[in-house]
Amino acid sequence: MDRAIFVQFFIVLCFVPFLTFGQDRFAVHYKYKPQISYSLEAPEEFLLQKAIDRRIKEGVAVDSTDLPVSGKYVDTIAYMVEKVRYHSKWMNASIVVATQEQMAEVATLPFIERVELVAKDFHPIGQNGKKESFRIPINFNVTSKKVNTYDFQNDILGIPAMHEEGFTGKGVMIAVFDAGFVNADKISGMKHLFEQDQIVATKDFVLPDSDEVFRSDGHGTASLSLMASYEESKLISGAYDAHYILCITEDVGSEFKVEEYNWIRAAEFSDSLGVDIINSSLGYNLFDDPEMDYRPEDMDGKTAVITIGATMAARKGILVISSAGNEGNRDWKTLTAPADADGIIAVGSVTSSLVRSGFSSTGPTFDGRLKPDLVAFGSGVTLWRWLDSPNTSSGTSFTSPQIAALAAGLWQARPEWTREQIIENLLNSGTMADAPDTELGFGIPNFIDAYYGEILDFEEQKESDLAVVYPNPLDGNQLFIEYGRGNQCSFRMINTWGQIISDQSLTRNSHKFPYEIRLENTRPGLYFIECKENNHTQTFRLLRR
């Protein structure tokens, strides 16, 4: 055989396992869900006790969506298609590999509701390339950097204070859905996850015959590091004691709707294991097949497949936290799915000046709901992707893991709280909770205010004690404080670690004028201002930009 022909033939043989010639992938949706083996009266047969306990706590009944797809339907179509890849009980559907002719025959079966093309023809999957259609992350410009144990991104969320209180996510289970976790099993800052059996499960839904997730891409590694890293001299993240489920749902070799179904199947898998939080640093709007594209008006909380799945996960008591999208400086502008889902937290990005990052998607949803819900630092985030040391990168992808870690610590601190209570207290702790908008939502949350929210209710003051600090947020150095009835008060400024930044006495000529103080050499972040006159103390939140 000619050498050139042999080489070409060898290359084709090598790729055969990854390709399906002339075949597409379809979602086969069923009309009904008849059961022989399972019953709602015995949920322990298809859900772990932790998943059942979550439903009880959240007041959510086990229902037909929790039951598996009908076995007899699966057996029928299995002989009519090339391959059945997996089933989605929430969508009551199967994902199959088939030809158009085979699907036309399947569609005639009386128990079939519809069939939907979700991925076109063959393409390499599981390779190391990444197409532009993989919308998150952008600006993944990595530079090596050594960081302090508690750096800026942790500080503004109150992570140091959370750790000082002893809350590190212990007892909370977080699922991470992403494109791959290359190096996550080798990075020194995450070795404790494996040494202490904190990885509950791994699953690859792009190549469902494999459970190998430490492949394909490092985007998931970066996201995981923002929740789970622990190395004193390099990076400590918010929820390093939590347990994790790692799932590949994003195929970096293409962009098709099948990835939305991968996401939903991963959510079902995680739900059955009793997951508490899902972090999703993925977003969908445009695909390799333009006929699959969404429109901005589809970001209405009920159209995109993945949005429907995220909403269902939330209704089962799972706290879903999603990046808002990186479309802020593109024509699209608005959210990407599933950030438009109802009952989840969509997270945008701010810069070190605590203003919206240009790339961060803005709201509202098309049906008029406020989004994003919260924001975190996303322009130059310290994370861990390579083996040697942490790096920096940008994107809303890297904001949602930070909020997920904060939520895990808060849930450890308040285990009696429901998903809705966690969300409510995170939103109320935001720096813009009094005036949320469609760029920053409720602003930057913080542990102290979320945890002690009822105690630090600064509005519950005597009617005679009208008090305010301004400007807030503070962009310059001059702060004014209208407080009290005397001409002198004590002033303390405290950061989110609980450290006293300033402790002094303030004076003024008359109570008709505000106290004035210059705050130079204080870095951007969230602070607590404590003023005391006689035996009365009042505390304010101040955002320093």
Side-chain angles (χ1 to χ4, degrees), residues 243-302:
H243 285 79
Y244 291 91
I245 300 169
L246 308 182
C247 298
I248 293 182
T249 64
E250 166 74 28
D251 184 352
V252 296
S254 66
E255 192 83 337
F256 287 114
K257 275 192 177 182
V258 69
E259 293 161 33
E260 298 184 71
Y261 285 90
N262 294 346
W263 193 102
I264 295 172
R265 181 67 193 97
E268 296 170 2
F269 172 71
S270 301
D271 171 41
S272 69
L273 297 177
V275 74
D276 300 300
I277 299 171
I278 290 174
N279 178 76
S280 175
S281 293
L282 302 167
Y284 297 93
N285 57 349
L286 306 176
F287 299 92
D288 290 351
D289 178 2
E291 293 184 3
M292 296 182 184
D293 287 353
Y294 291 119
R295 303 163 299 171
E297 51 263 43
D298 292 326
M299 300 297 107
D300 59 359
K302 57 187 177 183

Short mmCIF file of all heavy atoms in Angstrom, two decimals, residues 243-302:
data_model
loop_
_atom_site.label_atom_id
_atom_site.label_comp_id
_atom_site.label_asym_id
_atom_site.label_seq_id
_atom_site.Cartn_x
_atom_site.Cartn_y
_atom_site.Cartn_z
N HIS A 243 -18.09 18.96 49.58
CA HIS A 243 -17.98 17.79 48.72
C HIS A 243 -18.42 18.17 47.30
O HIS A 243 -19.29 19.04 47.14
CB HIS A 243 -18.83 16.64 49.24
CG HIS A 243 -18.23 15.96 50.44
ND1 HIS A 243 -18.30 16.49 51.70
CD2 HIS A 243 -17.53 14.79 50.55
CE1 HIS A 243 -17.68 15.69 52.56
NE2 HIS A 243 -17.19 14.66 51.89
N TYR A 244 -17.84 17.50 46.30
CA TYR A 244 -18.05 17.93 44.92
C TYR A 244 -18.44 16.77 44.00
O TYR A 244 -17.98 15.64 44.16
CB TYR A 244 -16.79 18.61 44.38
CG TYR A 244 -16.54 19.95 45.03
CD1 TYR A 244 -15.75 20.04 46.18
CD2 TYR A 244 -17.12 21.10 44.53
CE1 TYR A 244 -15.54 21.25 46.81
CE2 TYR A 244 -16.90 22.33 45.15
CZ TYR A 244 -16.12 22.39 46.29
OH TYR A 244 -15.92 23.60 46.91
N ILE A 245 -19.31 17.10 43.05
CA ILE A 245 -19.64 16.24 41.92
C ILE A 245 -19.14 16.96 40.67
O ILE A 245 -19.48 18.13 40.45
CB ILE A 245 -21.16 16.01 41.81
CG1 ILE A 245 -21.70 15.36 43.08
CG2 ILE A 245 -21.50 15.16 40.58
CD1 ILE A 245 -23.23 15.33 43.15
N LEU A 246 -18.33 16.30 39.87
CA LEU A 246 -17.74 16.92 38.68
C LEU A 246 -18.33 16.30 37.43
O LEU A 246 -18.22 15.08 37.22
CB LEU A 246 -16.22 16.75 38.69
CG LEU A 246 -15.48 17.19 39.96
CD1 LEU A 246 -13.98 16.99 39.79
CD2 LEU A 246 -15.81 18.63 40.33
N CYS A 247 -18.94 17.12 36.58
CA CYS A 247 -19.60 16.63 35.37
C CYS A 247 -19.16 17.42 34.15
O CYS A 247 -19.15 18.65 34.17
CB CYS A 247 -21.12 16.75 35.50
SG CYS A 247 -21.84 15.79 36.84
N ILE A 248 -18.81 16.70 33.08
CA ILE A 248 -18.58 17.34 31.78
C ILE A 248 -19.90 17.34 31.02
O ILE A 248 -20.48 16.28 30.76
CB ILE A 248 -17.50 16.61 30.97
CG1 ILE A 248 -16.13 16.73 31.65
CG2 ILE A 248 -17.43 17.18 29.55
CD1 ILE A 248 -15.00 16.08 30.89
N THR A 249 -20.37 18.53 30.68
CA THR A 249 -21.59 18.66 29.89
C THR A 249 -21.35 19.41 28.59
O THR A 249 -22.14 19.32 27.66
CB THR A 249 -22.68 19.40 30.68
OG1 THR A 249 -22.25 20.74 30.95
CG2 THR A 249 -22.96 18.69 32.00
N GLU A 250 -20.28 20.17 28.53
CA GLU A 250 -19.94 21.00 27.37
C GLU A 250 -18.94 20.31 26.47
O GLU A 250 -17.87 19.88 26.93
CB GLU A 250 -19.37 22.34 27.86
CG GLU A 250 -18.68 23.17 26.80
CD GLU A 250 -19.67 23.83 25.85
OE1 GLU A 250 -20.81 24.10 26.26
OE2 GLU A 250 -19.27 24.09 24.69
N ASP A 251 -19.29 20.16 25.19
CA ASP A 251 -18.39 19.59 24.19
C ASP A 251 -17.60 20.72 23.55
O ASP A 251 -18.16 21.54 22.82
CB ASP A 251 -19.21 18.84 23.13
CG ASP A 251 -18.34 18.13 22.11
OD1 ASP A 251 -17.12 18.34 22.13
OD2 ASP A 251 -18.89 17.38 21.29
N VAL A 252 -16.31 20.79 23.85
CA VAL A 252 -15.51 21.90 23.34
C VAL A 252 -15.28 21.81 21.84
O VAL A 252 -14.79 22.77 21.23
CB VAL A 252 -14.15 21.99 24.07
CG1 VAL A 252 -14.36 22.31 25.53
CG2 VAL A 252 -13.35 20.71 23.90
N GLY A 253 -15.63 20.68 21.22
CA GLY A 253 -15.42 20.52 19.78
C GLY A 253 -16.54 21.07 18.93
O GLY A 253 -16.42 21.15 17.71
N SER A 254 -17.65 21.46 19.55
CA SER A 254 -18.80 21.96 18.79
C SER A 254 -19.74 22.69 19.73
O SER A 254 -19.51 22.75 20.94
CB SER A 254 -19.53 20.80 18.12
OG SER A 254 -20.12 19.96 19.11
N GLU A 255 -20.79 23.26 19.16
CA GLU A 255 -21.81 23.92 19.97
C GLU A 255 -23.18 23.56 19.39
O GLU A 255 -23.63 24.11 18.38
CB GLU A 255 -21.61 25.43 19.96
CG GLU A 255 -22.44 26.16 20.99
CD GLU A 255 -21.79 26.18 22.37
OE1 GLU A 255 -20.95 25.30 22.66
OE2 GLU A 255 -22.13 27.06 23.17
N PHE A 256 -23.85 22.59 20.04
CA PHE A 256 -25.17 22.15 19.63
C PHE A 256 -26.08 22.04 20.85
O PHE A 256 -25.61 21.97 21.99
CB PHE A 256 -25.11 20.79 18.92
CG PHE A 256 -24.53 20.85 17.53
CD1 PHE A 256 -23.31 20.23 17.25
CD2 PHE A 256 -25.20 21.50 16.50
CE1 PHE A 256 -22.77 20.26 15.97
CE2 PHE A 256 -24.67 21.54 15.22
CZ PHE A 256 -23.45 20.91 14.94
N LYS A 257 -27.37 21.96 20.60
CA LYS A 257 -28.34 21.91 21.69
C LYS A 257 -28.22 20.65 22.55
O LYS A 257 -28.74 20.62 23.66
CB LYS A 257 -29.77 22.02 21.14
CG LYS A 257 -30.23 23.43 20.92
CD LYS A 257 -31.73 23.49 20.67
CE LYS A 257 -32.18 24.93 20.53
NZ LYS A 257 -33.65 25.04 20.34
N VAL A 258 -27.55 19.64 22.04
CA VAL A 258 -27.39 18.43 22.84
C VAL A 258 -26.70 18.75 24.17
O VAL A 258 -26.92 18.07 25.18
CB VAL A 258 -26.61 17.34 22.06
CG1 VAL A 258 -25.15 17.73 21.86
CG2 VAL A 258 -26.72 15.99 22.75
N GLU A 259 -25.88 19.79 24.19
CA GLU A 259 -25.18 20.16 25.43
C GLU A 259 -26.16 20.64 26.50
O GLU A 259 -25.89 20.50 27.70
CB GLU A 259 -24.12 21.21 25.12
CG GLU A 259 -22.99 20.65 24.27
CD GLU A 259 -22.17 21.72 23.58
OE1 GLU A 259 -22.01 22.81 24.16
OE2 GLU A 259 -21.70 21.47 22.46
N GLU A 260 -27.28 21.20 26.08
CA GLU A 260 -28.31 21.58 27.05
C GLU A 260 -28.92 20.34 27.69
O GLU A 260 -29.20 20.32 28.90
CB GLU A 260 -29.39 22.42 26.38
CG GLU A 260 -28.89 23.74 25.80
CD GLU A 260 -30.02 24.57 25.24
OE1 GLU A 260 -30.82 25.10 26.02
OE2 GLU A 260 -30.12 24.67 23.99
N TYR A 261 -29.12 19.32 26.88
CA TYR A 261 -29.64 18.06 27.42
C TYR A 261 -28.59 17.39 28.31
O TYR A 261 -28.94 16.77 29.33
CB TYR A 261 -30.08 17.13 26.29
CG TYR A 261 -31.38 17.54 25.63
CD1 TYR A 261 -31.39 18.41 24.55
CD2 TYR A 261 -32.59 17.05 26.10
CE1 TYR A 261 -32.58 18.80 23.95
CE2 TYR A 261 -33.79 17.42 25.49
CZ TYR A 261 -33.78 18.30 24.42
OH TYR A 261 -34.96 18.67 23.82
N ASN A 262 -27.31 17.51 27.91
CA ASN A 262 -26.24 16.99 28.77
C ASN A 262 -26.32 17.63 30.16
O ASN A 262 -26.16 16.96 31.18
CB ASN A 262 -24.86 17.30 28.17
CG ASN A 262 -24.59 16.58 26.87
OD1 ASN A 262 -25.29 15.64 26.51
ND2 ASN A 262 -23.58 17.02 26.15
N TRP A 263 -26.55 18.94 30.17
CA TRP A 263 -26.64 19.69 31.42
C TRP A 263 -27.80 19.17 32.28
O TRP A 263 -27.65 18.95 33.49
CB TRP A 263 -26.84 21.17 31.10
CG TRP A 263 -26.66 22.13 32.24
CD1 TRP A 263 -25.57 22.91 32.48
CD2 TRP A 263 -27.60 22.44 33.28
NE1 TRP A 263 -25.78 23.68 33.62
CE2 TRP A 263 -27.01 23.41 34.13
CE3 TRP A 263 -28.89 21.98 33.58
CZ2 TRP A 263 -27.66 23.94 35.24
CZ3 TRP A 263 -29.53 22.50 34.70
CH2 TRP A 263 -28.92 23.46 35.51
N ILE A 264 -28.94 18.98 31.65
CA ILE A 264 -30.12 18.51 32.39
C ILE A 264 -29.88 17.11 32.93
O ILE A 264 -30.23 16.80 34.08
CB ILE A 264 -31.37 18.55 31.49
CG1 ILE A 264 -31.70 20.00 31.14
CG2 ILE A 264 -32.56 17.88 32.19
CD1 ILE A 264 -32.79 20.15 30.11
N ARG A 265 -29.26 16.25 32.14
CA ARG A 265 -28.98 14.89 32.61
C ARG A 265 -28.01 14.94 33.78
O ARG A 265 -28.15 14.18 34.76
CB ARG A 265 -28.39 14.05 31.47
CG ARG A 265 -28.10 12.62 31.88
CD ARG A 265 -29.38 11.85 32.18
NE ARG A 265 -29.10 10.58 32.86
CZ ARG A 265 -29.16 10.40 34.18
NH1 ARG A 265 -29.50 11.40 34.98
NH2 ARG A 265 -28.88 9.23 34.70
N ALA A 266 -27.03 15.84 33.73
CA ALA A 266 -26.10 15.99 34.85
C ALA A 266 -26.83 16.49 36.09
O ALA A 266 -26.52 16.07 37.22
CB ALA A 266 -24.98 16.96 34.46
N ALA A 267 -27.80 17.39 35.91
CA ALA A 267 -28.58 17.88 37.04
C ALA A 267 -29.40 16.76 37.67
O ALA A 267 -29.50 16.67 38.90
CB ALA A 267 -29.50 19.02 36.59
N GLU A 268 -29.97 15.91 36.85
CA GLU A 268 -30.72 14.75 37.37
C GLU A 268 -29.80 13.82 38.15
O GLU A 268 -30.15 13.34 39.23
CB GLU A 268 -31.35 13.99 36.21
CG GLU A 268 -32.38 14.77 35.42
CD GLU A 268 -32.80 14.05 34.14
OE1 GLU A 268 -32.31 12.93 33.89
OE2 GLU A 268 -33.60 14.60 33.39
N PHE A 269 -28.64 13.56 37.58
CA PHE A 269 -27.66 12.69 38.22
C PHE A 269 -27.25 13.26 39.58
O PHE A 269 -27.23 12.56 40.60
CB PHE A 269 -26.44 12.58 37.30
CG PHE A 269 -25.24 11.89 37.88
CD1 PHE A 269 -25.25 10.53 38.10
CD2 PHE A 269 -24.09 12.61 38.18
CE1 PHE A 269 -24.12 9.89 38.63
CE2 PHE A 269 -22.97 11.99 38.70
CZ PHE A 269 -22.99 10.62 38.93
N SER A 270 -26.97 14.56 39.61
CA SER A 270 -26.55 15.21 40.85
C SER A 270 -27.70 15.25 41.85
O SER A 270 -27.49 15.05 43.06
CB SER A 270 -26.06 16.63 40.54
OG SER A 270 -24.98 16.61 39.63
N ASP A 271 -28.89 15.51 41.37
CA ASP A 271 -30.07 15.53 42.24
C ASP A 271 -30.25 14.19 42.93
O ASP A 271 -30.52 14.12 44.14
CB ASP A 271 -31.31 15.86 41.39
CG ASP A 271 -32.60 15.68 42.17
OD1 ASP A 271 -32.66 16.06 43.35
OD2 ASP A 271 -33.57 15.15 41.59
N SER A 272 -30.10 13.11 42.19
CA SER A 272 -30.31 11.78 42.76
C SER A 272 -29.30 11.46 43.85
O SER A 272 -29.56 10.64 44.73
CB SER A 272 -30.24 10.71 41.65
OG SER A 272 -28.91 10.59 41.15
N LEU A 273 -28.13 12.15 43.81
CA LEU A 273 -27.11 11.95 44.83
C LEU A 273 -27.28 12.88 46.03
O LEU A 273 -26.54 12.80 47.00
CB LEU A 273 -25.72 12.17 44.22
CG LEU A 273 -25.30 11.20 43.12
CD1 LEU A 273 -23.94 11.58 42.55
CD2 LEU A 273 -25.28 9.77 43.62
N GLY A 274 -28.26 13.79 45.94
CA GLY A 274 -28.54 14.68 47.05
C GLY A 274 -27.78 15.99 47.02
O GLY A 274 -27.52 16.59 48.06
N VAL A 275 -27.44 16.48 45.84
CA VAL A 275 -26.67 17.72 45.72
C VAL A 275 -27.41 18.89 46.35
O VAL A 275 -28.65 18.94 46.35
CB VAL A 275 -26.35 18.00 44.23
CG1 VAL A 275 -27.57 18.50 43.48
CG2 VAL A 275 -25.20 18.99 44.10
N ASP A 276 -26.67 19.85 46.87
CA ASP A 276 -27.24 21.06 47.44
C ASP A 276 -27.16 22.24 46.48
O ASP A 276 -28.10 23.03 46.37
CB ASP A 276 -26.52 21.43 48.74
CG ASP A 276 -26.62 20.35 49.80
OD1 ASP A 276 -27.74 20.02 50.20
OD2 ASP A 276 -25.56 19.82 50.20
N ILE A 277 -26.01 22.38 45.80
CA ILE A 277 -25.75 23.53 44.94
C ILE A 277 -25.22 23.05 43.60
O ILE A 277 -24.40 22.13 43.55
CB ILE A 277 -24.70 24.47 45.59
CG1 ILE A 277 -25.20 25.01 46.93
CG2 ILE A 277 -24.35 25.64 44.66
CD1 ILE A 277 -24.13 25.76 47.73
N ILE A 278 -25.69 23.66 42.53
CA ILE A 278 -25.12 23.45 41.20
C ILE A 278 -24.46 24.74 40.76
O ILE A 278 -25.08 25.81 40.77
CB ILE A 278 -26.18 23.05 40.16
CG1 ILE A 278 -26.72 21.64 40.44
CG2 ILE A 278 -25.63 23.12 38.74
CD1 ILE A 278 -27.88 21.23 39.55
N ASN A 279 -23.18 24.67 40.39
CA ASN A 279 -22.51 25.81 39.77
C ASN A 279 -22.38 25.54 38.28
O ASN A 279 -21.82 24.52 37.86
CB ASN A 279 -21.13 26.06 40.34
CG ASN A 279 -20.46 27.22 39.62
OD1 ASN A 279 -20.78 28.37 39.84
ND2 ASN A 279 -19.54 26.92 38.71
N SER A 280 -22.87 26.47 37.48
CA SER A 280 -22.82 26.34 36.03
C SER A 280 -22.19 27.57 35.42
O SER A 280 -22.79 28.64 35.38
CB SER A 280 -24.24 26.15 35.46
OG SER A 280 -24.21 26.14 34.05
N SER A 281 -20.94 27.43 34.97
CA SER A 281 -20.24 28.54 34.32
C SER A 281 -20.33 28.38 32.81
O SER A 281 -19.33 28.47 32.09
CB SER A 281 -18.78 28.58 34.78
OG SER A 281 -18.70 28.93 36.14
N LEU A 282 -21.53 28.16 32.33
CA LEU A 282 -21.79 27.93 30.91
C LEU A 282 -22.98 28.78 30.49
O LEU A 282 -23.84 29.12 31.31
CB LEU A 282 -22.12 26.45 30.65
CG LEU A 282 -21.06 25.43 31.06
CD1 LEU A 282 -21.64 24.02 31.05
CD2 LEU A 282 -19.86 25.51 30.13
N GLY A 283 -23.03 29.11 29.21
CA GLY A 283 -24.16 29.89 28.72
C GLY A 283 -24.41 29.60 27.26
O GLY A 283 -23.47 29.40 26.49
N TYR A 284 -25.68 29.60 26.85
CA TYR A 284 -26.05 29.23 25.49
C TYR A 284 -26.95 30.26 24.85
O TYR A 284 -27.93 30.72 25.46
CB TYR A 284 -26.72 27.85 25.49
CG TYR A 284 -25.79 26.76 25.97
CD1 TYR A 284 -25.76 26.39 27.32
CD2 TYR A 284 -24.88 26.16 25.11
CE1 TYR A 284 -24.88 25.43 27.78
CE2 TYR A 284 -23.99 25.20 25.56
CZ TYR A 284 -24.00 24.84 26.89
OH TYR A 284 -23.11 23.90 27.35
N ASN A 285 -26.62 30.62 23.62
CA ASN A 285 -27.50 31.47 22.81
C ASN A 285 -27.36 31.17 21.33
O ASN A 285 -28.35 31.05 20.62
CB ASN A 285 -27.26 32.95 23.09
CG ASN A 285 -25.81 33.39 22.87
OD1 ASN A 285 -24.91 32.57 22.70
ND2 ASN A 285 -25.60 34.70 22.88
N LEU A 286 -26.13 30.99 20.83
CA LEU A 286 -25.88 30.73 19.42
C LEU A 286 -25.18 29.38 19.25
O LEU A 286 -24.37 28.99 20.08
CB LEU A 286 -25.02 31.85 18.82
CG LEU A 286 -25.55 33.28 19.02
CD1 LEU A 286 -24.56 34.29 18.46
CD2 LEU A 286 -26.92 33.44 18.38
N PHE A 287 -25.49 28.70 18.13
CA PHE A 287 -24.99 27.35 17.90
C PHE A 287 -24.33 27.22 16.54
O PHE A 287 -24.43 28.12 15.69
CB PHE A 287 -26.15 26.35 18.02
CG PHE A 287 -26.80 26.34 19.38
CD1 PHE A 287 -27.89 27.16 19.65
CD2 PHE A 287 -26.31 25.53 20.40
CE1 PHE A 287 -28.48 27.16 20.91
CE2 PHE A 287 -26.89 25.54 21.66
CZ PHE A 287 -27.98 26.36 21.91
N ASP A 288 -23.67 26.09 16.31
CA ASP A 288 -23.04 25.84 15.02
C ASP A 288 -24.08 25.71 13.91
O ASP A 288 -23.77 25.97 12.75
CB ASP A 288 -22.21 24.55 15.10
CG ASP A 288 -20.97 24.73 15.97
OD1 ASP A 288 -20.68 25.89 16.36
OD2 ASP A 288 -20.30 23.73 16.28
N ASP A 289 -25.27 25.27 14.26
CA ASP A 289 -26.40 25.22 13.32
C ASP A 289 -27.29 26.43 13.61
O ASP A 289 -27.97 26.47 14.64
CB ASP A 289 -27.19 23.93 13.51
CG ASP A 289 -28.40 23.86 12.59
OD1 ASP A 289 -28.60 24.79 11.79
OD2 ASP A 289 -29.17 22.88 12.69
N PRO A 290 -27.29 27.44 12.75
CA PRO A 290 -28.06 28.67 13.03
C PRO A 290 -29.54 28.41 13.27
O PRO A 290 -30.20 29.23 13.93
CB PRO A 290 -27.84 29.51 11.76
CG PRO A 290 -26.55 29.01 11.19
CD PRO A 290 -26.54 27.53 11.48
N GLU A 291 -30.07 27.30 12.75
CA GLU A 291 -31.49 27.01 12.98
C GLU A 291 -31.78 26.70 14.45
O GLU A 291 -32.94 26.73 14.88
CB GLU A 291 -31.93 25.85 12.10
CG GLU A 291 -31.92 26.19 10.61
CD GLU A 291 -32.46 25.05 9.75
OE1 GLU A 291 -32.87 24.03 10.34
OE2 GLU A 291 -32.45 25.18 8.52
N MET A 292 -30.75 26.39 15.21
CA MET A 292 -30.92 26.12 16.64
C MET A 292 -30.79 27.37 17.49
O MET A 292 -31.07 27.35 18.69
CB MET A 292 -29.89 25.08 17.11
CG MET A 292 -30.01 23.72 16.48
SD MET A 292 -28.77 22.57 17.16
CE MET A 292 -29.09 21.12 16.16
N ASP A 293 -30.33 28.48 16.89
CA ASP A 293 -30.05 29.68 17.65
C ASP A 293 -31.26 30.18 18.42
O ASP A 293 -32.40 30.08 17.96
CB ASP A 293 -29.58 30.81 16.73
CG ASP A 293 -28.18 30.60 16.20
OD1 ASP A 293 -27.50 29.66 16.64
OD2 ASP A 293 -27.76 31.41 15.33
N TYR A 294 -30.97 30.74 19.60
CA TYR A 294 -32.00 31.46 20.34
C TYR A 294 -31.97 32.92 19.93
O TYR A 294 -31.01 33.42 19.34
CB TYR A 294 -31.75 31.34 21.84
CG TYR A 294 -31.95 29.95 22.38
CD1 TYR A 294 -30.91 29.25 22.98
CD2 TYR A 294 -33.20 29.32 22.27
CE1 TYR A 294 -31.10 27.96 23.48
CE2 TYR A 294 -33.40 28.03 22.76
CZ TYR A 294 -32.34 27.36 23.36
OH TYR A 294 -32.54 26.09 23.83
N ARG A 295 -33.03 33.63 20.27
CA ARG A 295 -33.11 35.07 20.08
C ARG A 295 -33.14 35.73 21.47
O ARG A 295 -33.51 35.08 22.44
CB ARG A 295 -34.39 35.44 19.31
CG ARG A 295 -34.52 34.75 17.96
CD ARG A 295 -35.96 34.83 17.48
NE ARG A 295 -36.85 34.15 18.43
CZ ARG A 295 -38.18 34.20 18.38
NH1 ARG A 295 -38.77 34.91 17.42
NH2 ARG A 295 -38.92 33.55 19.26
N PRO A 296 -32.78 37.00 21.56
CA PRO A 296 -32.85 37.65 22.87
C PRO A 296 -34.22 37.52 23.52
O PRO A 296 -34.31 37.38 24.74
CB PRO A 296 -32.52 39.11 22.55
CG PRO A 296 -31.61 39.02 21.36
CD PRO A 296 -32.16 37.87 20.54
N GLU A 297 -35.28 37.52 22.73
CA GLU A 297 -36.61 37.38 23.30
C GLU A 297 -36.89 35.99 23.85
O GLU A 297 -37.87 35.77 24.57
CB GLU A 297 -37.69 37.78 22.29
CG GLU A 297 -37.57 37.13 20.94
CD GLU A 297 -36.86 38.01 19.93
OE1 GLU A 297 -35.82 38.63 20.29
OE2 GLU A 297 -37.34 38.08 18.78
N ASP A 298 -36.00 35.02 23.53
CA ASP A 298 -36.15 33.67 24.10
C ASP A 298 -35.59 33.60 25.52
O ASP A 298 -35.78 32.59 26.21
CB ASP A 298 -35.42 32.64 23.23
CG ASP A 298 -36.09 32.46 21.88
OD1 ASP A 298 -37.33 32.56 21.81
OD2 ASP A 298 -35.37 32.23 20.89
N MET A 299 -34.92 34.65 25.96
CA MET A 299 -34.40 34.67 27.34
C MET A 299 -35.51 35.12 28.29
O MET A 299 -35.43 36.13 28.97
CB MET A 299 -33.18 35.59 27.44
CG MET A 299 -32.02 35.20 26.54
SD MET A 299 -31.31 33.57 26.92
CE MET A 299 -31.90 32.59 25.54
N ASP A 300 -36.58 34.33 28.31
CA ASP A 300 -37.80 34.67 29.05
C ASP A 300 -38.10 33.71 30.19
O ASP A 300 -39.18 33.75 30.78
CB ASP A 300 -38.99 34.71 28.10
CG ASP A 300 -39.21 33.37 27.39
OD1 ASP A 300 -38.43 32.42 27.63
OD2 ASP A 300 -40.16 33.28 26.59
N GLY A 301 -37.13 32.83 30.50
CA GLY A 301 -37.31 31.92 31.62
C GLY A 301 -38.11 30.67 31.31
O GLY A 301 -38.32 29.84 32.22
N LYS A 302 -38.53 30.48 30.07
CA LYS A 302 -39.37 29.32 29.78
C LYS A 302 -39.17 28.73 28.39
O LYS A 302 -39.86 27.78 28.03
CB LYS A 302 -40.84 29.71 29.94
CG LYS A 302 -41.29 30.87 29.07
CD LYS A 302 -42.71 31.31 29.41
CE LYS A 302 -43.13 32.52 28.57
NZ LYS A 302 -44.47 33.01 28.95
#
